[in-house]
PDB file of all heavy atoms in Angstrom:
ATOM      1  N   THR T 319     216.770 149.647 180.251  1.00 43.00           N
ATOM      2  CA  THR T 319     217.106 151.048 180.393  1.00 43.00           C
ATOM      3  C   THR T 319     218.297 151.138 181.331  1.00 43.00           C
ATOM      4  O   THR T 319     218.301 150.561 182.395  1.00 43.00           O
ATOM      5  CB  THR T 319     215.908 151.825 180.986  1.00 43.00           C
ATOM      6  OG1 THR T 319     214.803 151.666 180.108  1.00 43.00           O
ATOM      7  CG2 THR T 319     216.245 153.292 181.139  1.00 43.00           C
ATOM      8  N   VAL T 320     219.326 151.881 180.933  1.00 40.00           N
ATOM      9  CA  VAL T 320     220.544 151.943 181.729  1.00 40.00           C
ATOM     10  C   VAL T 320     220.273 152.551 183.097  1.00 40.00           C
ATOM     11  O   VAL T 320     219.469 153.448 183.241  1.00 40.00           O
ATOM     12  CB  VAL T 320     221.624 152.771 181.001  1.00 40.00           C
ATOM     13  CG1 VAL T 320     221.246 154.218 180.890  1.00 40.00           C
ATOM     14  CG2 VAL T 320     222.962 152.639 181.702  1.00 40.00           C
ATOM     15  N   ARG T 321     220.957 152.022 184.099  1.00 39.00           N
ATOM     16  CA  ARG T 321     220.855 152.570 185.445  1.00 39.00           C
ATOM     17  C   ARG T 321     222.259 152.901 185.927  1.00 39.00           C
ATOM     18  O   ARG T 321     223.137 152.046 185.948  1.00 39.00           O
ATOM     19  CB  ARG T 321     220.183 151.574 186.399  1.00 39.00           C
ATOM     20  CG  ARG T 321     218.740 151.305 186.004  1.00 39.00           C
ATOM     21  CD  ARG T 321     218.013 150.548 187.093  1.00 39.00           C
ATOM     22  NE  ARG T 321     216.645 150.304 186.718  1.00 39.00           N
ATOM     23  CZ  ARG T 321     215.663 151.182 186.863  1.00 39.00           C
ATOM     24  NH1 ARG T 321     215.916 152.365 187.372  1.00 39.00           N
ATOM     25  NH2 ARG T 321     214.442 150.896 186.497  1.00 39.00           N
ATOM     26  N   CYS T 322     222.469 154.120 186.299  1.00 37.00           N
ATOM     27  CA  CYS T 322     223.793 154.573 186.677  1.00 37.00           C
ATOM     28  C   CYS T 322     224.292 153.829 187.898  1.00 37.00           C
ATOM     29  O   CYS T 322     223.617 153.779 188.925  1.00 37.00           O
ATOM     30  CB  CYS T 322     223.737 156.061 186.967  1.00 37.00           C
ATOM     31  SG  CYS T 322     225.246 156.691 187.700  1.00 37.00           S
ATOM     32  N   GLY T 323     225.462 153.223 187.784  1.00 36.00           N
ATOM     33  CA  GLY T 323     226.011 152.459 188.887  1.00 36.00           C
ATOM     34  C   GLY T 323     226.393 153.325 190.062  1.00 36.00           C
ATOM     35  O   GLY T 323     226.515 152.840 191.190  1.00 36.00           O
ATOM     36  N   LEU T 324     226.600 154.630 189.861  1.00 31.00           N
ATOM     37  CA  LEU T 324     227.004 155.525 190.931  1.00 31.00           C
ATOM     38  C   LEU T 324     225.838 156.375 191.437  1.00 31.00           C
ATOM     39  O   LEU T 324     226.029 157.295 192.202  1.00 31.00           O
ATOM     40  CB  LEU T 324     228.118 156.457 190.437  1.00 31.00           C
ATOM     41  CG  LEU T 324     229.367 155.751 189.894  1.00 31.00           C
ATOM     42  CD1 LEU T 324     230.349 156.797 189.394  1.00 31.00           C
ATOM     43  CD2 LEU T 324     230.000 154.891 190.965  1.00 31.00           C
ATOM     44  N   ARG T 325     224.613 156.007 190.998  1.00 32.00           N
ATOM     45  CA  ARG T 325     223.463 156.849 191.317  1.00 32.00           C
ATOM     46  C   ARG T 325     223.298 157.032 192.823  1.00 32.00           C
ATOM     47  O   ARG T 325     223.021 158.132 193.297  1.00 32.00           O
ATOM     48  CB  ARG T 325     222.183 156.237 190.732  1.00 32.00           C
ATOM     49  CG  ARG T 325     220.921 156.960 191.164  1.00 32.00           C
ATOM     50  CD  ARG T 325     219.675 156.311 190.611  1.00 32.00           C
ATOM     51  NE  ARG T 325     219.609 156.483 189.172  1.00 32.00           N
ATOM     52  CZ  ARG T 325     218.594 156.045 188.465  1.00 32.00           C
ATOM     53  NH1 ARG T 325     217.617 155.386 189.031  1.00 32.00           N
ATOM     54  NH2 ARG T 325     218.575 156.229 187.156  1.00 32.00           N
ATOM     55  N   SER T 326     223.467 155.965 193.605  1.00 32.00           N
ATOM     56  CA  SER T 326     223.218 156.063 195.029  1.00 32.00           C
ATOM     57  C   SER T 326     224.158 157.052 195.700  1.00 32.00           C
ATOM     58  O   SER T 326     223.846 157.616 196.738  1.00 32.00           O
ATOM     59  CB  SER T 326     223.369 154.691 195.681  1.00 32.00           C
ATOM     60  OG  SER T 326     224.671 154.197 195.466  1.00 32.00           O
ATOM     61  N   ARG T 327     225.335 157.270 195.116  1.00 30.00           N
ATOM     62  CA  ARG T 327     226.300 158.176 195.715  1.00 30.00           C
ATOM     63  C   ARG T 327     226.185 159.597 195.186  1.00 30.00           C
ATOM     64  O   ARG T 327     226.413 160.558 195.907  1.00 30.00           O
ATOM     65  CB  ARG T 327     227.729 157.658 195.463  1.00 30.00           C
ATOM     66  CG  ARG T 327     228.065 156.472 196.347  1.00 30.00           C
ATOM     67  CD  ARG T 327     229.459 155.992 196.052  1.00 30.00           C
ATOM     68  NE  ARG T 327     229.507 155.252 194.791  1.00 30.00           N
ATOM     69  CZ  ARG T 327     230.640 154.921 194.195  1.00 30.00           C
ATOM     70  NH1 ARG T 327     231.785 155.267 194.714  1.00 30.00           N
ATOM     71  NH2 ARG T 327     230.610 154.236 193.071  1.00 30.00           N
ATOM     72  N   CYS T 328     225.886 159.741 193.883  1.00 31.00           N
ATOM     73  CA  CYS T 328     225.893 161.088 193.323  1.00 31.00           C
ATOM     74  C   CYS T 328     224.508 161.662 193.115  1.00 31.00           C
ATOM     75  O   CYS T 328     224.366 162.800 192.709  1.00 31.00           O
ATOM     76  CB  CYS T 328     226.667 161.121 192.005  1.00 31.00           C
ATOM     77  SG  CYS T 328     225.863 160.222 190.678  1.00 31.00           S
ATOM     78  N   CYS T 329     223.457 160.862 193.360  1.00 31.00           N
ATOM     79  CA  CYS T 329     222.084 161.350 193.178  1.00 31.00           C
ATOM     80  C   CYS T 329     221.308 161.071 194.457  1.00 31.00           C
ATOM     81  O   CYS T 329     220.566 160.096 194.518  1.00 31.00           O
ATOM     82  CB  CYS T 329     221.414 160.676 191.987  1.00 31.00           C
ATOM     83  SG  CYS T 329     222.345 160.787 190.468  1.00 31.00           S
ATOM     84  N   ALA T 330     221.489 161.858 195.466  1.00 29.00           N
ATOM     85  CA  ALA T 330     220.894 161.582 196.763  1.00 29.00           C
ATOM     86  C   ALA T 330     219.394 161.810 196.756  1.00 29.00           C
ATOM     87  O   ALA T 330     218.649 161.048 197.358  1.00 29.00           O
ATOM     88  CB  ALA T 330     221.550 162.464 197.820  1.00 29.00           C
ATOM     89  N   ALA T 331     218.942 162.858 196.121  1.00 27.00           N
ATOM     90  CA  ALA T 331     217.521 163.176 196.136  1.00 27.00           C
ATOM     91  C   ALA T 331     216.815 162.497 194.980  1.00 27.00           C
ATOM     92  O   ALA T 331     217.194 162.655 193.838  1.00 27.00           O
ATOM     93  CB  ALA T 331     217.319 164.686 196.035  1.00 27.00           C
ATOM     94  N   GLN T 332     215.778 161.718 195.259  1.00 27.00           N
ATOM     95  CA  GLN T 332     215.062 160.981 194.215  1.00 27.00           C
ATOM     96  C   GLN T 332     214.475 161.921 193.170  1.00 27.00           C
ATOM     97  O   GLN T 332     214.432 161.598 191.983  1.00 27.00           O
ATOM     98  CB  GLN T 332     213.932 160.153 194.838  1.00 27.00           C
ATOM     99  CG  GLN T 332     214.433 158.956 195.615  1.00 27.00           C
ATOM    100  CD  GLN T 332     213.282 158.104 196.095  1.00 27.00           C
ATOM    101  OE1 GLN T 332     212.138 158.536 196.097  1.00 27.00           O
ATOM    102  NE2 GLN T 332     213.592 156.896 196.503  1.00 27.00           N
ATOM    103  N   LEU T 333     214.030 163.069 193.565  1.00 26.00           N
ATOM    104  CA  LEU T 333     213.405 163.992 192.624  1.00 26.00           C
ATOM    105  C   LEU T 333     214.428 164.675 191.727  1.00 26.00           C
ATOM    106  O   LEU T 333     214.066 165.365 190.785  1.00 26.00           O
ATOM    107  CB  LEU T 333     212.598 165.049 193.386  1.00 26.00           C
ATOM    108  CG  LEU T 333     211.409 164.531 194.183  1.00 26.00           C
ATOM    109  CD1 LEU T 333     210.734 165.680 194.917  1.00 26.00           C
ATOM    110  CD2 LEU T 333     210.427 163.816 193.283  1.00 26.00           C
ATOM    111  N   GLU T 334     215.727 164.491 192.011  1.00 28.00           N
ATOM    112  CA  GLU T 334     216.752 165.140 191.221  1.00 28.00           C
ATOM    113  C   GLU T 334     217.673 164.123 190.565  1.00 28.00           C
ATOM    114  O   GLU T 334     218.824 164.412 190.249  1.00 28.00           O
ATOM    115  CB  GLU T 334     217.572 166.077 192.116  1.00 28.00           C
ATOM    116  CG  GLU T 334     216.740 167.184 192.734  1.00 28.00           C
ATOM    117  CD  GLU T 334     217.548 168.051 193.681  1.00 28.00           C
ATOM    118  OE1 GLU T 334     218.714 167.698 193.921  1.00 28.00           O
ATOM    119  OE2 GLU T 334     217.023 169.051 194.165  1.00 28.00           O
ATOM    120  N   VAL T 335     217.184 162.902 190.364  1.00 28.00           N
ATOM    121  CA  VAL T 335     218.021 161.827 189.842  1.00 28.00           C
ATOM    122  C   VAL T 335     218.626 162.203 188.492  1.00 28.00           C
ATOM    123  O   VAL T 335     219.823 162.061 188.267  1.00 28.00           O
ATOM    124  CB  VAL T 335     217.202 160.527 189.712  1.00 28.00           C
ATOM    125  CG1 VAL T 335     217.950 159.519 188.859  1.00 28.00           C
ATOM    126  CG2 VAL T 335     216.936 159.935 191.074  1.00 28.00           C
ATOM    127  N   VAL T 336     217.806 162.699 187.586  1.00 29.00           N
ATOM    128  CA  VAL T 336     218.304 163.001 186.246  1.00 29.00           C
ATOM    129  C   VAL T 336     219.050 164.318 186.197  1.00 29.00           C
ATOM    130  O   VAL T 336     220.138 164.430 185.639  1.00 29.00           O
ATOM    131  CB  VAL T 336     217.138 163.024 185.235  1.00 29.00           C
ATOM    132  CG1 VAL T 336     217.626 163.459 183.875  1.00 29.00           C
ATOM    133  CG2 VAL T 336     216.508 161.643 185.147  1.00 29.00           C
ATOM    134  N   SER T 337     218.486 165.348 186.836  1.00 29.00           N
ATOM    135  CA  SER T 337     219.063 166.674 186.696  1.00 29.00           C
ATOM    136  C   SER T 337     220.371 166.857 187.445  1.00 29.00           C
ATOM    137  O   SER T 337     221.225 167.628 187.023  1.00 29.00           O
ATOM    138  CB  SER T 337     218.056 167.724 187.176  1.00 29.00           C
ATOM    139  OG  SER T 337     217.754 167.511 188.538  1.00 29.00           O
ATOM    140  N   SER T 338     220.559 166.164 188.581  1.00 31.00           N
ATOM    141  CA  SER T 338     221.741 166.427 189.383  1.00 31.00           C
ATOM    142  C   SER T 338     222.820 165.386 189.273  1.00 31.00           C
ATOM    143  O   SER T 338     223.879 165.545 189.851  1.00 31.00           O
ATOM    144  CB  SER T 338     221.344 166.558 190.858  1.00 31.00           C
ATOM    145  OG  SER T 338     220.880 165.310 191.339  1.00 31.00           O
ATOM    146  N   CYS T 339     222.584 164.289 188.529  1.00 35.00           N
ATOM    147  CA  CYS T 339     223.599 163.245 188.435  1.00 35.00           C
ATOM    148  C   CYS T 339     224.835 163.779 187.728  1.00 35.00           C
ATOM    149  O   CYS T 339     224.744 164.359 186.659  1.00 35.00           O
ATOM    150  CB  CYS T 339     223.052 162.034 187.682  1.00 35.00           C
ATOM    151  SG  CYS T 339     224.239 160.695 187.554  1.00 35.00           S
ATOM    152  N   SER T 340     225.987 163.569 188.359  1.00 34.00           N
ATOM    153  CA  SER T 340     227.223 164.106 187.795  1.00 34.00           C
ATOM    154  C   SER T 340     228.245 163.028 187.519  1.00 34.00           C
ATOM    155  O   SER T 340     229.418 163.301 187.385  1.00 34.00           O
ATOM    156  CB  SER T 340     227.831 165.121 188.777  1.00 34.00           C
ATOM    157  OG  SER T 340     228.093 164.489 190.028  1.00 34.00           O
ATOM    158  N   CYS T 341     227.792 161.766 187.442  1.00 36.00           N
ATOM    159  CA  CYS T 341     228.759 160.700 187.217  1.00 36.00           C
ATOM    160  C   CYS T 341     229.310 160.800 185.802  1.00 36.00           C
ATOM    161  O   CYS T 341     228.672 161.351 184.913  1.00 36.00           O
ATOM    162  CB  CYS T 341     228.133 159.329 187.439  1.00 36.00           C
ATOM    163  SG  CYS T 341     227.183 158.741 186.054  1.00 36.00           S
ATOM    164  N   SER T 342     230.487 160.241 185.593  1.00 34.00           N
ATOM    165  CA  SER T 342     231.151 160.363 184.296  1.00 34.00           C
ATOM    166  C   SER T 342     231.208 159.050 183.553  1.00 34.00           C
ATOM    167  O   SER T 342     232.029 158.861 182.675  1.00 34.00           O
ATOM    168  CB  SER T 342     232.581 160.881 184.510  1.00 34.00           C
ATOM    169  OG  SER T 342     233.304 159.996 185.358  1.00 34.00           O
ATOM    170  N   SER T 343     230.318 158.100 183.918  1.00 35.00           N
ATOM    171  CA  SER T 343     230.308 156.800 183.242  1.00 35.00           C
ATOM    172  C   SER T 343     230.075 156.982 181.757  1.00 35.00           C
ATOM    173  O   SER T 343     229.198 157.728 181.331  1.00 35.00           O
ATOM    174  CB  SER T 343     229.204 155.906 183.830  1.00 35.00           C
ATOM    175  OG  SER T 343     229.036 154.765 183.036  1.00 35.00           O
ATOM    176  N   THR T 344     230.856 156.286 180.923  1.00 35.00           N
ATOM    177  CA  THR T 344     230.722 156.439 179.468  1.00 35.00           C
ATOM    178  C   THR T 344     229.421 155.849 178.954  1.00 35.00           C
ATOM    179  O   THR T 344     229.024 156.136 177.840  1.00 35.00           O
ATOM    180  CB  THR T 344     231.886 155.731 178.753  1.00 35.00           C
ATOM    181  OG1 THR T 344     231.902 154.352 179.131  1.00 35.00           O
ATOM    182  CG2 THR T 344     233.208 156.375 179.110  1.00 35.00           C
ATOM    183  N   SER T 345     228.748 155.002 179.752  1.00 37.00           N
ATOM    184  CA  SER T 345     227.495 154.413 179.284  1.00 37.00           C
ATOM    185  C   SER T 345     226.288 155.180 179.778  1.00 37.00           C
ATOM    186  O   SER T 345     225.163 154.808 179.535  1.00 37.00           O
ATOM    187  CB  SER T 345     227.386 152.957 179.752  1.00 37.00           C
ATOM    188  OG  SER T 345     227.319 152.900 181.156  1.00 37.00           O
ATOM    189  N   HIS T 346     226.511 156.277 180.523  1.00 37.00           N
ATOM    190  CA  HIS T 346     225.397 157.058 181.056  1.00 37.00           C
ATOM    191  C   HIS T 346     225.498 158.471 180.504  1.00 37.00           C
ATOM    192  O   HIS T 346     226.324 159.271 180.938  1.00 37.00           O
ATOM    193  CB  HIS T 346     225.472 157.067 182.583  1.00 37.00           C
ATOM    194  CG  HIS T 346     224.372 157.866 183.227  1.00 37.00           C
ATOM    195  ND1 HIS T 346     224.468 159.216 183.460  1.00 37.00           N
ATOM    196  CD2 HIS T 346     223.155 157.482 183.685  1.00 37.00           C
ATOM    197  CE1 HIS T 346     223.365 159.641 184.057  1.00 37.00           C
ATOM    198  NE2 HIS T 346     222.562 158.627 184.193  1.00 37.00           N
ATOM    199  N   ILE T 347     224.702 158.782 179.481  1.00 36.00           N
ATOM    200  CA  ILE T 347     224.773 160.091 178.854  1.00 36.00           C
ATOM    201  C   ILE T 347     223.383 160.669 178.731  1.00 36.00           C
ATOM    202  O   ILE T 347     222.397 159.944 178.717  1.00 36.00           O
ATOM    203  CB  ILE T 347     225.412 160.002 177.447  1.00 36.00           C
ATOM    204  CG1 ILE T 347     224.615 159.010 176.578  1.00 36.00           C
ATOM    205  CG2 ILE T 347     226.856 159.588 177.517  1.00 36.00           C
ATOM    206  CD1 ILE T 347     225.103 158.931 175.160  1.00 36.00           C
ATOM    207  N   GLN T 348     223.289 161.959 178.670  1.00 39.00           N
ATOM    208  CA  GLN T 348     222.015 162.635 178.518  1.00 39.00           C
ATOM    209  C   GLN T 348     221.997 163.351 177.174  1.00 39.00           C
ATOM    210  O   GLN T 348     222.861 164.183 176.895  1.00 39.00           O
ATOM    211  CB  GLN T 348     221.802 163.647 179.649  1.00 39.00           C
ATOM    212  CG  GLN T 348     221.701 163.012 181.027  1.00 39.00           C
ATOM    213  CD  GLN T 348     220.491 162.121 181.152  1.00 39.00           C
ATOM    214  OE1 GLN T 348     219.469 162.362 180.528  1.00 39.00           O
ATOM    215  NE2 GLN T 348     220.603 161.079 181.955  1.00 39.00           N
ATOM    216  N   THR T 349     221.066 163.023 176.321  1.00 37.00           N
ATOM    217  CA  THR T 349     220.950 163.672 175.030  1.00 37.00           C
ATOM    218  C   THR T 349     219.491 163.967 174.758  1.00 37.00           C
ATOM    219  O   THR T 349     218.607 163.486 175.448  1.00 37.00           O
ATOM    220  CB  THR T 349     221.483 162.767 173.901  1.00 37.00           C
ATOM    221  OG1 THR T 349     220.670 161.583 173.873  1.00 37.00           O
ATOM    222  CG2 THR T 349     222.922 162.377 174.123  1.00 37.00           C
ATOM    223  N   SER T 350     219.228 164.708 173.727  1.00 40.00           N
ATOM    224  CA  SER T 350     217.849 164.947 173.333  1.00 40.00           C
ATOM    225  C   SER T 350     217.328 163.725 172.605  1.00 40.00           C
ATOM    226  O   SER T 350     218.085 162.893 172.127  1.00 40.00           O
ATOM    227  CB  SER T 350     217.772 166.163 172.406  1.00 40.00           C
ATOM    228  OG  SER T 350     218.398 165.863 171.171  1.00 40.00           O
ATOM    229  N   SER T 351     215.996 163.604 172.496  1.00 51.00           N
ATOM    230  CA  SER T 351     215.395 162.458 171.831  1.00 51.00           C
ATOM    231  C   SER T 351     215.876 162.334 170.394  1.00 51.00           C
ATOM    232  O   SER T 351     216.199 161.245 169.928  1.00 51.00           O
ATOM    233  CB  SER T 351     213.866 162.585 171.860  1.00 51.00           C
ATOM    234  OG  SER T 351     213.393 162.607 173.184  1.00 51.00           O
ATOM    235  N   THR T 352     215.920 163.457 169.687  1.00 63.00           N
ATOM    236  CA  THR T 352     216.311 163.431 168.280  1.00 63.00           C
ATOM    237  C   THR T 352     217.747 162.953 168.122  1.00 63.00           C
ATOM    238  O   THR T 352     218.041 162.096 167.282  1.00 63.00           O
ATOM    239  CB  THR T 352     216.155 164.825 167.658  1.00 63.00           C
ATOM    240  OG1 THR T 352     214.790 165.248 167.794  1.00 63.00           O
ATOM    241  CG2 THR T 352     216.532 164.794 166.191  1.00 63.00           C
ATOM    242  N   SER T 353     218.660 163.493 168.932  1.00 74.00           N
ATOM    243  CA  SER T 353     220.067 163.109 168.796  1.00 74.00           C
ATOM    244  C   SER T 353     220.280 161.654 169.188  1.00 74.00           C
ATOM    245  O   SER T 353     221.135 160.979 168.623  1.00 74.00           O
ATOM    246  CB  SER T 353     220.947 164.029 169.645  1.00 74.00           C
ATOM    247  OG  SER T 353     220.649 163.879 171.021  1.00 74.00           O
ATOM    248  N   TYR T 354     219.516 161.168 170.165  1.00 75.00           N
ATOM    249  CA  TYR T 354     219.683 159.773 170.585  1.00 75.00           C
ATOM    250  C   TYR T 354     219.198 158.817 169.497  1.00 75.00           C
ATOM    251  O   TYR T 354     219.819 157.792 169.231  1.00 75.00           O
ATOM    252  CB  TYR T 354     218.934 159.512 171.891  1.00 75.00           C
ATOM    253  CG  TYR T 354     219.210 158.147 172.469  1.00 75.00           C
ATOM    254  CD1 TYR T 354     220.522 157.736 172.751  1.00 75.00           C
ATOM    255  CD2 TYR T 354     218.179 157.256 172.736  1.00 75.00           C
ATOM    256  CE1 TYR T 354     220.780 156.482 173.283  1.00 75.00           C
ATOM    257  CE2 TYR T 354     218.433 156.002 173.267  1.00 75.00           C
ATOM    258  CZ  TYR T 354     219.731 155.626 173.542  1.00 75.00           C
ATOM    259  OH  TYR T 354     219.985 154.375 174.065  1.00 75.00           O
ATOM    260  N   LEU T 355     218.088 159.152 168.859  1.00 80.00           N
ATOM    261  CA  LEU T 355     217.600 158.320 167.764  1.00 80.00           C
ATOM    262  C   LEU T 355     218.602 158.315 166.608  1.00 80.00           C
ATOM    263  O   LEU T 355     218.807 157.288 165.959  1.00 80.00           O
ATOM    264  CB  LEU T 355     216.239 158.830 167.277  1.00 80.00           C
ATOM    265  CG  LEU T 355     215.075 158.638 168.250  1.00 80.00           C
ATOM    266  CD1 LEU T 355     213.810 159.294 167.709  1.00 80.00           C
ATOM    267  CD2 LEU T 355     214.815 157.163 168.512  1.00 80.00           C
ATOM    268  N   THR T 356     219.218 159.450 166.374  1.00 81.00           N
ATOM    269  CA  THR T 356     220.263 159.521 165.347  1.00 81.00           C
ATOM    270  C   THR T 356     221.454 158.651 165.727  1.00 81.00           C
ATOM    271  O   THR T 356     222.032 157.958 164.885  1.00 81.00           O
ATOM    272  CB  THR T 356     220.731 160.976 165.163  1.00 81.00           C
ATOM    273  OG1 THR T 356     219.616 161.793 164.793  1.00 81.00           O
ATOM    274  CG2 THR T 356     221.803 161.076 164.095  1.00 81.00           C
ATOM    275  N   LEU T 357     221.811 158.666 167.014  1.00 82.00           N
ATOM    276  CA  LEU T 357     222.911 157.839 167.501  1.00 82.00           C
ATOM    277  C   LEU T 357     222.579 156.356 167.373  1.00 82.00           C
ATOM    278  O   LEU T 357     223.426 155.540 166.988  1.00 82.00           O
ATOM    279  CB  LEU T 357     223.217 158.194 168.955  1.00 82.00           C
ATOM    280  CG  LEU T 357     224.463 157.548 169.573  1.00 82.00           C
ATOM    281  CD1 LEU T 357     225.718 158.025 168.866  1.00 82.00           C
ATOM    282  CD2 LEU T 357     224.522 157.875 171.067  1.00 82.00           C
ATOM    283  N   LEU T 358     221.337 155.993 167.675  1.00 84.00           N
ATOM    284  CA  LEU T 358     220.885 154.615 167.515  1.00 84.00           C
ATOM    285  C   LEU T 358     221.052 154.160 166.066  1.00 84.00           C
ATOM    286  O   LEU T 358     221.554 153.066 165.790  1.00 84.00           O
ATOM    287  CB  LEU T 358     219.413 154.484 167.928  1.00 84.00           C
ATOM    288  CG  LEU T 358     219.077 154.291 169.405  1.00 84.00           C
ATOM    289  CD1 LEU T 358     217.587 154.466 169.625  1.00 84.00           C
ATOM    290  CD2 LEU T 358     219.521 152.924 169.867  1.00 84.00           C
ATOM    291  N   ASP T 359     220.608 155.014 165.160  1.00 85.00           N
ATOM    292  CA  ASP T 359     220.666 154.685 163.739  1.00 85.00           C
ATOM    293  C   ASP T 359     222.108 154.571 163.250  1.00 85.00           C
ATOM    294  O   ASP T 359     222.472 153.604 162.572  1.00 85.00           O
ATOM    295  CB  ASP T 359     219.914 155.751 162.941  1.00 85.00           C
ATOM    296  CG  ASP T 359     219.870 155.433 161.455  1.00 85.00           C
ATOM    297  OD1 ASP T 359     218.961 154.697 161.035  1.00 85.00           O
ATOM    298  OD2 ASP T 359     220.748 155.927 160.720  1.00 85.00           O
ATOM    299  N   SER T 360     222.934 155.537 163.610  1.00 86.00           N
ATOM    300  CA  SER T 360     224.302 155.551 163.092  1.00 86.00           C
ATOM    301  C   SER T 360     225.150 154.417 163.672  1.00 86.00           C
ATOM    302  O   SER T 360     225.946 153.804 162.957  1.00 86.00           O
ATOM    303  CB  SER T 360     224.962 156.899 163.390  1.00 86.00           C
ATOM    304  OG  SER T 360     225.046 157.120 164.789  1.00 86.00           O
ATOM    305  N   SER T 361     224.982 154.111 164.953  1.00 87.00           N
ATOM    306  CA  SER T 361     225.787 153.054 165.573  1.00 87.00           C
ATOM    307  C   SER T 361     225.434 151.684 165.015  1.00 87.00           C
ATOM    308  O   SER T 361     226.313 150.850 164.743  1.00 87.00           O
ATOM    309  CB  SER T 361     225.611 153.072 167.090  1.00 87.00           C
ATOM    310  OG  SER T 361     224.252 152.917 167.443  1.00 87.00           O
ATOM    311  N   SER T 362     224.127 151.431 164.810  1.00 89.00           N
ATOM    312  CA  SER T 362     223.727 150.144 164.239  1.00 89.00           C
ATOM    313  C   SER T 362     224.123 150.050 162.761  1.00 89.00           C
ATOM    314  O   SER T 362     224.531 148.981 162.288  1.00 89.00           O
ATOM    315  CB  SER T 362     222.218 149.931 164.414  1.00 89.00           C
ATOM    316  OG  SER T 362     221.487 151.023 163.923  1.00 89.00           O
ATOM    317  N   THR T 363     224.033 151.169 162.044  1.00 89.00           N
ATOM    318  CA  THR T 363     224.437 151.178 160.638  1.00 89.00           C
ATOM    319  C   THR T 363     225.934 150.901 160.493  1.00 89.00           C
ATOM    320  O   THR T 363     226.359 150.162 159.590  1.00 89.00           O
ATOM    321  CB  THR T 363     224.096 152.525 159.986  1.00 89.00           C
ATOM    322  OG1 THR T 363     222.680 152.720 160.023  1.00 89.00           O
ATOM    323  CG2 THR T 363     224.562 152.567 158.541  1.00 89.00           C
ATOM    324  N   SER T 364     226.745 151.454 161.377  1.00 88.00           N
ATOM    325  CA  SER T 364     228.190 151.241 161.298  1.00 88.00           C
ATOM    326  C   SER T 364     228.550 149.775 161.526  1.00 88.00           C
ATOM    327  O   SER T 364     229.449 149.240 160.870  1.00 88.00           O
ATOM    328  CB  SER T 364     228.908 152.124 162.320  1.00 88.00           C
ATOM    329  OG  SER T 364     228.530 151.786 163.641  1.00 88.00           O
TER     330      SER T 364
END
């Protein structure tokens, strides 16, 4: 499971790790379950 490399700097409060993270890393994105499963399928299919 991906772990944001900038988490310690941009996510100070443990209880707000997901909601308040504002890093712009291209490998750290927030999507809905349905869209992520679609992304999994399409990227592997390509």
Side-chain angles (χ1 to χ4, degrees):
T319 301
V320 67
R321 296 191 180 277
C322 171
L324 303 178
R325 173 182 292 182
S326 59
R327 285 179 285 168
C328 68
C329 307
Q332 288 185 345
L333 296 178
E334 299 177 354
V335 166
V336 175
S337 61
S338 67
C339 181
S340 59
C341 81
S342 58
S343 170
T344 57
S345 64
H346 179 273
I347 57 176
Q348 296 296 329
T349 62
S350 68
S351 299
T352 302
S353 64
Y354 187 56
L355 291 175
T356 301
L357 188 64
L358 276 169
D359 183 86
S360 62
S361 58
S362 52
T363 298
S364 63

